[in-house]
Amino acid sequence: MYANRQRLETIEAQTLAPYALLSKNSRGRKYHEPEPQYRTAFQRDRDRIVHAAAFRRLEYKTQVFVNDVGDYYRTRLTHTLEVAQIGRTLARALGVNEDLVETICLAHDLGHPPFGHAGEDVLDRLMADHGGFNHNHQTYRVVTEIERRYDRWPGLNLTLETLEGIARHETRYDMSRVAGLPPGVRGSIEAQIADVADELAYNAHDLDDGLTSGLISPDDMADLSIWQHVLERSRWDGKHFDDIARHHIIRELVGLLVDDAVTESTRQLEAVNPASSEDVQHYTHNLVGYSATVGHMNADLKQFLQQRMYQHFKVVRMARRAERFIQEIFNSYIAEPRQLPPSSQALITHEGVYRVVADYIASLTDRSALREYRRLFDPASGPDTF
């Protein structure tokens, strides 16, 4: 028996928890269009994100290490795929909509500019008098305005549930206001899972990259309770720290965090017993997360990474270098917008030159930003580079 959309929706209704978001109950899309025959609404959203130009560009955008440092380290794309994998695991264990979780996870970093958080910080500073820059807001704009793949509407025309999941991504930035959502309402259980998966992957895999690069050593972590806990679960002898030992320890770390998130979230959900997705969204706190013990250990790991990795002098050098590239590119285009591609110039009347320049720079990858810098400022750049 083939599975058409109606059968897939029936399977969801029969197997998912009462607090899950069902694709058959979607509130639809801003621009009406018939749903596909063999995919649910959320599966279509996922596929549209994967085929978006902004998604492809994540391959050459920085996580921590600038793209020209080496091929092993995480990029925004590999991070995104790891977040989606962890998110699906959590969704399956908690009995909620895997497709929606995966979709939110795959979309969550589409708005990141080149050079990671250094790129975001400098763009935000340069745009301080013109609305600022925030990668979560930019992600929302990418999927609702900036991507151009259809002749009848801007953006990807995603379902309202996916858009809300993206907008509810945990951030200090007021995305509810930007997206026109009621304040004080939490994300769906699927959006909460995406948040936890993002932070989990970010910490574990940045630690992995830090150990691989030599910026962090096992001895540096000896006093961290989460490291001690992971070593108790592992088979490492404490002497020979090679690639196999590192892989094993990172797996144990991810396993520890996933296990605790599933156990604690299940406990919270059973205690509250929400009857619908709306119940989850109106509860007093998020229902997906860690126990107090593991939450404290994870917070200590995050602080350790901030102090010992993200503030490492080699990472700071990369960040300052990246900031210089973006600042000089930005100022050059503001001074003479006719250097922008015609497609960007055409948007200036409606969007304003500052927002158009910020959008253009945010769309660049690490290597295309470096190439752009050479085009603008390297006298030795030949005609073939233009």
Side-chain angles (χ1 to χ4, degrees):
M1 179 186 296
Y2 68 88
N4 59 17
R5 189 184 77 254
Q6 289 75 21
R7 176 163 172 76
L8 293 172
E9 290 173 347
T10 298
I11 292 171
E12 283 185 358
Q14 291 174 342
T15 59
L16 298 184
Y19 43 79
L21 271 170
L22 303 182
S23 54
K24 73 172 185 176
N25 294 335
S26 171
R27 304 192 308 277
R29 306 170 189 275
K30 180 177 180 179
Y31 304 97
H32 176 73
E33 56 179 314
E35 293 300 331
Q37 187 173 359
Y38 302 109
R39 291 175 294 167
T40 68
F42 300 150
Q43 288 170 346
R44 169 183 263 182
D45 284 356
R46 175 198 61 205
D47 296 346
R48 287 184 170 180
I49 289 165
V50 168
H51 288 284
F55 185 81
R56 292 195 298 277
R57 294 189 192 107
L58 295 177
E59 181 177 5
Y60 297 106
K61 290 193 177 186
T62 292
Q63 180 71 8
V64 173
F65 294 92
V66 174
N67 188 255
D68 59 359
V69 171
D71 293 334
Y72 172 82
Y73 304 111
R74 264 86 179 175
T75 65
R76 285 287 160 193
L77 179 60
T78 57
H79 165 71
T80 294
L81 295 175
E82 289 167 343
V83 172
Q85 175 262 319
I86 292 169
R88 290 196 69 125
T89 298
L90 293 171
R92 191 177 306 118
L94 296 175
V96 299
N97 201 308
E98 290 182 52
D99 293 324
L100 180 55
V101 170
E102 181 181 31
T103 300
I104 297 169
C105 290
L106 291 174
H108 84 280
D109 267 355
L110 292 180
H112 257 292
F115 308 125
H117 287 291
E120 179 172 9
D121 290 344
V122 69
L123 269 183
D124 188 40
R125 176 169 55 79
L126 292 167
M127 291 290 291
D129 296 329
H130 307 278
F133 183 91
N134 174 276
H135 82 268
N136 292 306
H137 183 196
Q138 190 73 1
T139 292
Y140 193 83
R141 293 184 64 241
V142 164
V143 299
T144 58
E145 302 174 37
I146 295 174
E147 280 284 330
R148 297 282 177 164
R149 304 182 67 83
Y150 305 96
D151 58 359
R152 290 179 291 165
W153 53 71
L156 302 179
N157 199 30
L158 304 177
T159 63
L160 299 180
E161 289 74 22
T162 293
L163 292 178
E164 185 170 346
I166 293 170
R168 298 287 188 193
H169 188 55
E170 289 295 319
T171 173
R172 290 172 293 180
Y173 193 82
D174 185 9
M175 280 297 298
S176 295
R177 178 184 56 80
V178 169
L181 299 172
V185 178
R186 299 188 175 277
S188 64
I189 199 78
E190 288 83 4
Q192 294 181 30
I193 287 172
D195 285 339
V196 170
D198 180 25
E199 187 191 37
L200 194 160
Y202 199 104
N203 289 343
H205 299 144
D206 281 1
L207 174 60
D208 189 17
D209 282 355
L211 290 166
T212 301
S213 66
L215 299 185
I216 298 171
S217 73
D219 290 342
D220 294 332
M221 306 187 64
D223 294 333
L224 277 179
S225 56
I226 198 167
W227 180 257
Q228 297 164 5
H229 200 76
V230 167
L231 292 188
E232 291 174 3
R233 291 168 54 117
S234 76
R235 298 187 301 274
W236 183 44
D237 62 9
K239 299 176 182 177
H240 306 290
F241 191 75
D242 55 14
D243 287 344
I244 297 298
R246 176 174 49 79
H247 289 313
H248 177 68
I249 288 172
I250 296 300
R251 284 198 304 273
E252 290 294 335
L253 174 61
V254 173
L256 167 67
L257 295 173
V258 168
D259 289 348
D260 186 78
V262 170
T263 301
E264 177 62 18
S265 301
T266 299
R267 187 188 70 79
Q268 292 268 8
L269 288 163
E270 289 177 347
V272 175
N273 195 25
S276 67
S277 178
E278 289 77 13
D279 286 353
V280 170
Q281 293 184 268
H282 288 90
Y283 198 63
T284 55
H285 60 267
N286 282 0
L287 298 174
V288 180
Y290 302 116
S291 65
T293 299
V294 171
H296 287 312
M297 290 195 296
N298 191 54
D300 289 343
L301 172 60
K302 191 171 184 176
Q303 184 177 23
F304 170 85
L305 289 171
Q306 180 65 37
Q307 295 173 348
R308 300 299 293 272
M309 183 171 172
Y310 308 139
Q311 298 301 321
H312 192 284
F313 78 93
K314 292 183 179 179
V315 174
V316 172
R317 283 179 179 175
M318 285 189 288
R320 296 293 82 75
R321 172 180 172 236
E323 288 180 3
R324 184 173 68 254
F325 289 151
I326 288 182
Q327 179 168 319
E328 295 190 18
I329 292 170
F330 183 94
N331 289 336
S332 180
Y333 281 136
I334 291 295
E336 180 47 88
R338 287 178 297 177
Q339 296 178 98
L340 289 165
S343 58
S344 293
Q345 292 184 46
L347 300 172
I348 290 176
T349 301
H350 181 260
E351 298 286 344
V353 64
Y354 279 87
R355 184 57 59 188
V356 169
V357 169
D359 286 349
Y360 178 71
I361 291 175
S363 74
L364 299 175
T365 65
D366 288 17
R367 66 180 184 179
S368 63
L370 292 171
R371 187 165 58 244
E372 201 85 346
Y373 182 85
R374 288 194 294 269
R375 287 169 175 165
L376 293 170
F377 302 110
D378 184 358
S381 292
D384 60 318
T385 64
F386 283 88

